[in-house]
Amino acid sequence: MASDPSRSETAERLRHLLETEGEIVRPRASEDNARREAAYDELANLEALRADARAIKEDAIDRLPELIETVREVVEENGGTVYVADDAADANAYVADVVDAVDADGRSDHDRPSVVKSKSMTTEEIDLNDALEREGVDVYETDLGEWVIQVADESPSHIVGPAMHLSRERIAELLREEFDPDVEFETAADLTAFARDYLGERIREADVGITGANFVVADSGTITLVTNEGNARKCAVTPDTHVAVAGIEKLIPSIEDLEPFVNLIARSATGQPISQYVTMLTPPTESPSLEFDGPDADEPITASDGESDREFHLVLLDNGRTAMREDDQLRETLYCIRCGACSNACVNFQSVGGHGFGGETYSGGIATGWEAGLHGQDAAAEFNDLCTGCTRCVDACPVEIDIPWINTVVRDRINRGKDPGTYDFLVDGLTPDAESGSGVPLDKRFFGNVGTVAKLASATAPLSNWLAGTGPVRALLERTIGIDRRRDLPVFQRQSLVDWFEANGGAEASRRRARVGTALEREAVLYPDVYTNYVDVARGKATVRTLEALGVPVSVPSLPESGRAALSQGMIATADRRASELYGELAADIDAGRDVVVIEPSDLAAFRREYERLLPEASFERLRSNSYEICEYVYGLLENGADVGALSTADGDEPIAYHSHCQQRTLDLEAPTTAVLERCGYTPETTGSECCGMAGSFGYKREYYDVSVDAGEQLAEELEGSERVVASGTSCSDQLETLLERPVPHPIEVLGPDR
């Protein structure tokens, strides 16, 4: 029985990128991410700016047809030309005609017309360079990173840092091979000096300058260019002809609308308060062509004498954007301002870079929306599963795009476009989901219905645990559903948490055990997530003991799965059904004033985030506002008079390392756990790593095992010197226990009283 070649090929490709590019990308992306976090922290009005930026983009996309006509009228009044290109071929043909006209008019001083370009992902999207070169045009990228990529004949690996995957030594080697320079490239300054001189000459001699546009102001025709090198403005104003190529989504209504974006874009991209150059041009500029005073491109530039007949063309590209605007699920992608923050915040991107986590043009978490919308779902299929839904990009995005949801939607659509797998019959009946017959791959149906699998494994434990550990079964699991045989499997408990609770008297006994006289007057329903109920029952027991010790009676009913597992596999119909079922089961408890307490952060994230898309608004709001993470809930009890002495406490200032689950951080729930640990006599040290890399099913899958472990090793290295480690997520604990080779309990297991 042969293994799936696509899994093997994907695993090998990602392993190669881990070894060749990951070690270079990781420190650069993670450093940019750390700088972004610091820059965000310095903004007292950060959330207001993000909300304003999103509102402006929402309004602009709503009014897009109107804004296109507005900017057309203004630019034409100014003496320029606006061309709306339907697709890549249309845009390329128009730009080629503009360049050809310059050559035909005799304005070119060269045998071949010459074009200089500033960095532009939109021109990457349409392969403009290749199109112009086929027409006999010399094209020179002038952004340092883009120029290096052009010399290397590679594609960009990052939206902002196109050569992020290349070391200084490799760049020096490329330039020596291409130009055989007289100077040695011993430092980064040597490289930039050579590039500045070489590209400065190309800019001086160019017939046409092509730029992108970070923003296009509709009511004035102003083009905004945000750069750190200054090359974009030189490309725009030095040649007599300037062509700006921008997606139609770059339009914003007015100059006042620029303010939040200028405040955010450099912070989100590189952690700078503001970019080195924020250039606003309302072309065609009245100023004539520019001359460089000195031989160095960074010396002052002044206007030449006399007047110049300057020409300006604004090419607005559709290329699928109008269809994205009409797609309720992909529309949000158009709010993207191409800052790359989602890439930098993503631990999987840090491991493999944009050549692994990216498509034909775009990379990182937002790439799924762009690639699916512009190039079709197949363009996103190869890398979409690298988004694990950890949500760290949600806090990073300056316009609050729900990038994980876009990835989930595209995953769902990709699933539905596939044929059922060879072994699909193995899970028919075992997986009672809403996806039957839809073509969802076998591995995704298995993991998306993990609750059913866990229930069966628990009912047959310990036999199921022994059987799953045998060589033939591990080989079968790897070949059929892609579970890597190197990954430790969960050990299922014969007695589930729900059964244990009932065996100990159920809700009535819990009321008797709960301490009286605290005047808290709270009752809690503990949600028995799949892992807590069938695998890590100990943390569920610790939760029950803790709440009862603090005077809160508990019930632990048998409840449906949250649907979080199904969402992770792109099985939205199944998740939707389970959300409705679970809310139906919990509604009576919420009506009775009981609090819903959740141990697993990913399930709480479903209640507080994803259910907004799955439940009616009123139902979502009721569940969201009455659901609590366990340590958040304990903190609230202590703040309202519960006795901390009822918990297990340390002798004082005992160090403990704490790794917070990704989604817990996105929900701003790391602080309550650290606060409770401090009250109980511990000195918690939180980890800086974004993610453990396990991410539920992701770390089990053969094609992603190495990526998962690579991310986990960064976290394990950070924790290596810690004597005591706790983690709030099941995946986090599993990953760390394997890598650290010791138990990593949930914080509630440390805090819960012994009984």
Side-chain angles (χ1 to χ4, degrees), residues 143-204:
D143 172 86
L144 180 58
E146 286 288 352
W147 179 59
V148 169
I149 290 300
Q150 185 180 32
V151 171
D153 193 24
E154 294 184 10
S155 60
S157 62
H158 190 282
I159 288 176
V160 172
M164 179 178 277
H165 62 292
L166 295 175
S167 67
R168 180 179 61 81
E169 292 76 16
R170 176 57 181 150
I171 293 171
E173 181 183 354
L174 285 167
L175 298 186
R176 281 195 295 269
E177 291 173 354
E178 180 73 16
F179 299 104
D180 191 21
D182 295 331
V183 297
E184 290 295 324
F185 297 136
E186 296 180 356
T187 66
D190 293 336
L191 292 170
T192 54
F194 178 80
R196 182 180 59 206
D197 292 344
Y198 178 83
L199 295 174
E201 286 297 325
R202 306 290 84 72
I203 293 172
R204 291 184 186 93

Side-chain angles (χ1 to χ4, degrees), residues 101-122:
V102 170
D103 190 40
D105 290 346
R107 285 183 281 166
S108 175
D109 297 327
H110 325 290
D111 293 335
R112 290 160 56 97
S114 172
V115 165
V116 287
K117 288 178 71 260
S118 67
K119 184 179 181 304
S120 165
M121 290 305 298
T122 307

Side-chain angles (χ1 to χ4, degrees), residues 550-616:
L550 295 174
V552 178
V554 186
S555 62
V556 188
S558 179
L559 292 170
E561 290 181 65
S562 69
R564 186 70 195 88
L567 278 178
S568 72
Q569 307 305 311
M571 297 165 58
I572 295 177
T574 297
D576 184 272
R577 188 179 75 182
R578 288 184 178 150
S580 297
E581 291 172 349
L582 179 55
Y583 177 76
E585 293 281 345
L586 288 172
D589 288 301
I590 295 173
D591 289 342
R594 299 184 186 96
D595 304 314
V596 180
V597 176
V598 184
I599 301 174
E600 178 55 40
S602 59
D603 288 296
L604 182 69
F607 296 175
R608 291 193 180 178
R609 295 189 71 256
E610 286 90 356
Y611 275 21
E612 184 175 12
R613 300 178 184 271
L614 304 177
L615 292 178

Side-chain angles (χ1 to χ4, degrees), residues 451-462:
T452 306
V453 177
K455 184 176 182 179
L456 177 61
S458 174
T460 56

Side-chain angles (χ1 to χ4, degrees), residues 497-502 507 524-528 533 540 544 554-559:
L497 176 65
V498 171
D499 291 343
W500 169 84
F501 184 75
E502 288 303 316
V525 178
L526 175 60
Y527 175 65
N533 197 27
V544 171
V554 186
S555 62
V556 188
S558 179
L559 292 170

Side-chain angles (χ1 to χ4, degrees), residues 39-247:
Y40 274 12
D41 287 343
E42 292 170 359
L43 274 178
N45 62 338
L46 171 66
E47 294 310 319
L49 285 171
R50 294 177 74 208
D52 287 348
R54 182 181 176 89
I56 291 165
K57 291 296 286 186
E58 287 178 345
D59 175 62
I61 299 304
D62 279 343
R63 297 168 52 196
L64 201 49
E66 169 197 337
L67 296 182
I68 291 172
E69 292 310 309
T70 298
V71 78
R72 187 197 302 274
E73 292 173 8
V74 171
V75 170
E76 289 178 353
E77 283 179 10
N78 291 342
T81 302
V82 173
Y83 184 78
V84 180
D86 291 335
D87 53 28
D90 190 14
N92 289 337
Y94 181 84
V95 176
D97 285 346
V98 170
V99 177
D100 184 61
V102 170
D103 190 40
D105 290 346
R107 285 183 281 166
S108 175
D109 297 327
H110 325 290
D111 293 335
R112 290 160 56 97
S114 172
V115 165
V116 287
K117 288 178 71 260
S118 67
K119 184 179 181 304
S120 165
M121 290 305 298
T122 307
T123 59
E124 288 280 353
E125 175 188 322
I126 61 177
D127 292 323
L128 178 61
N129 290 14
D130 290 344
L132 292 177
E133 287 167 356
R134 285 194 296 270
E135 298 296 323
V137 179
D138 290 331
V139 182
Y140 301 95
E141 295 285 355
T142 64
D143 172 86
L144 180 58
E146 286 288 352
W147 179 59
V148 169
I149 290 300
Q150 185 180 32
V151 171
D153 193 24
E154 294 184 10
S155 60
S157 62
H158 190 282
I159 288 176
V160 172
M164 179 178 277
H165 62 292
L166 295 175
S167 67
R168 180 179 61 81
E169 292 76 16
R170 176 57 181 150
I171 293 171
E173 181 183 354
L174 285 167
L175 298 186
R176 281 195 295 269
E177 291 173 354
E178 180 73 16
F179 299 104
D180 191 21
D182 295 331
V183 297
E184 290 295 324
F185 297 136
E186 296 180 356
T187 66
D190 293 336
L191 292 170
T192 54
F194 178 80
R196 182 180 59 206
D197 292 344
Y198 178 83
L199 295 174
E201 286 297 325
R202 306 290 84 72
I203 293 172
R204 291 184 186 93
E205 298 169 354
D207 302 305
V208 177
I210 298 177
T211 70
N214 293 93
F215 308 98
V216 180
V217 179
D219 68 1
S220 64
T222 301
I223 306 298
T224 304
L225 302 170
V226 182
T227 70
N228 275 329
E229 297 177 27
N231 60 301
R233 63 178 185 169
K234 293 173 184 175
C235 289
V237 300
T238 304
D240 286 339
T241 300
H242 174 205
V243 180
V245 182

